[in-house]
Amino acid sequence: MPAPRSLTADVLDPATSELGEGPRWDAAAGVLVRVDILGGLVLLADAEGARLATHPIGRHVGAALPAEGGGWLLAAREGFAVLAPDGAVRPLLAVLADRPDLRYNDAACDPAGRAFAGTMAYDRTPGAAVLHRLDPGPRATAVLDRLTISNGLGWSPDGLTMYAVDSDPGVVRAFDYAPDQGTPSRGRTLLEDLPGGVPDGLCVDGDGCLWVAVNGGGAVHRYTPAGALDAVVGLPVPQVTSCCFGGPAGDRLFVTTAREGLDPGEAARQPLAGALFAVDPGVSGPPATPWRPLP
Ligand code: BGC
Ligand code: CA
């Protein structure tokens, strides 16, 4: 097997987030949307990283997904909400209102525009997390349970395989996916024991390969659908949280990072922990599938 290709990401915005996360290319708006989960912020930037707007949400926010017709669906601490382009937040479904020990974490839309969002316990209690699908009603339907840190989600280009990360056991699982029902089944472990860290966010490129942020490992790895390591993107900070393709041609990989839990010494040694990075890796990937608002 050939040695994996080696790439390096450059700083795109040196301003740091505490827990920079969830980059998505919003093709309709032509912007990169990402969150600072613990800072409670939704950040909008252009493809060069220039800041266009910062929306304070007033609580932890796990992910912001482009919505059809404009604005973003939020997986906020306690549930789903809609963020309008002017910054107004409209609550949609407070699933975790009575569970202050939990919060929503990563989220994504399937190829039909159904939103999925996973949870985690603040104290990382094993097995306390679930993956929800947002269904008409609105109501949240659990599609996976007994997770610990529900994280990156993605779909193969044909939409028949779903990928889902659980960061505590440190696994990326693949599932058969029923596009008509929006249901994953027959889960199997695709990746485990990633060098130096745990899988966090991920995205799938146009060739069907997975780009997985290795949190703790200072890298994004590209894996084939069979699980072979094909390329390694190096970053100068260990807490690499998530990635997405975007830019006008979809050929730029944006990478978020964090400075969560660093002690003062580590924080001083890692001035770029929490910055936004990018690399043009020579392949492209689709923009975020927009959330289709419920009937
Ligand atoms: C969570 C972080 C956690 C990390 C572990 C992220 O998605 O939001 O709190 O440290 O995953 O990989
Ligand atoms: Ca994450």
Side-chain angles (χ1 to χ4, degrees):
M1 215 168 53
R5 279 181 300 137
S6 187
L7 304 160
T8 304
D10 297 314
V11 182
L12 208 58
D13 180 353
T16 58
S17 293
E18 185 179 355
L19 182 48
E21 268 281 5
R24 310 277 179 253
W25 184 254
D26 183 335
V31 302
L32 179 75
V33 58
R34 66 191 195 278
V35 294
D36 179 346
I37 296 181
L38 299 177
L41 301 173
V42 174
L43 309 164
L44 304 181
D46 70 16
E48 305 307 320
R51 199 71 72 83
L52 302 173
T54 299
H55 295 301
I57 305 303
R59 51 204 190 272
H60 293 166
V61 57
L65 308 177
E68 245 178 44
W72 300 274
L73 175 71
L74 305 181
R77 199 295 297 168
E78 79 297 340
F80 297 93
V82 175
L83 171 64
D86 67 1
V89 178
R90 177 172 58 85
L92 189 64
L93 184 62
V95 187
L96 304 177
D98 300 329
R99 294 297 306 270
D101 54 318
L102 303 176
R103 69 166 167 86
Y104 275 101
N105 196 38
D106 211 340
C109 288
D110 80 352
R114 297 183 189 96
F116 289 77
T119 64
M120 62 179 278
Y122 281 98
D123 70 0
R124 297 159 194 247
T125 301
V130 299
L131 179 66
H132 282 145
R133 187 182 60 222
L134 180 58
D135 283 336
R139 64 194 179 93
T141 307
V143 294
L144 300 176
D145 61 8
R146 286 175 297 162
L147 307 173
T148 298
I149 300 181
S150 181
N151 235 321
L153 302 166
W155 282 264
S156 58
D158 66 7
L160 297 178
T161 303
M162 177 179 177
Y163 302 105
V165 174
D166 190 348
S167 293
D168 196 339
V171 296
V172 181
R173 297 192 179 94
F175 298 82
D176 293 350
Y177 191 69
D180 296 339
Q181 288 81 35
T183 312
S185 63
R186 217 176 65 81
R188 59 265 180 199
T189 299
L190 177 67
L191 304 170
E192 59 188 337
D193 299 327
L194 271 56
V198 295
D200 195 333
L202 65 72
C203 67
V204 180
D205 69 25
D207 297 334
C209 290
L210 291 81
W211 296 76
V212 181
V214 187
N215 195 326
V220 175
H221 289 180
R222 183 186 200 235
Y223 293 95
T224 68
L229 179 62
D230 167 75
V232 173
V233 182
L235 286 107
V237 298
Q239 289 183 33
V240 179
T241 54
S242 189
C243 56
C244 77
F245 280 94
D251 55 359
R252 175 161 288 184
L253 186 76
F254 297 97
V255 183
T256 51
T257 67
R259 51 196 304 105
E260 186 187 20
L262 295 185
D263 67 34
E266 292 167 329
R269 283 190 296 278
Q270 296 182 33
L272 285 173
L276 175 68
F277 295 83
V279 58
D280 296 343
V283 293
S284 59
T289 304
W291 174 59
R292 180 164 299 170
L294 303 167

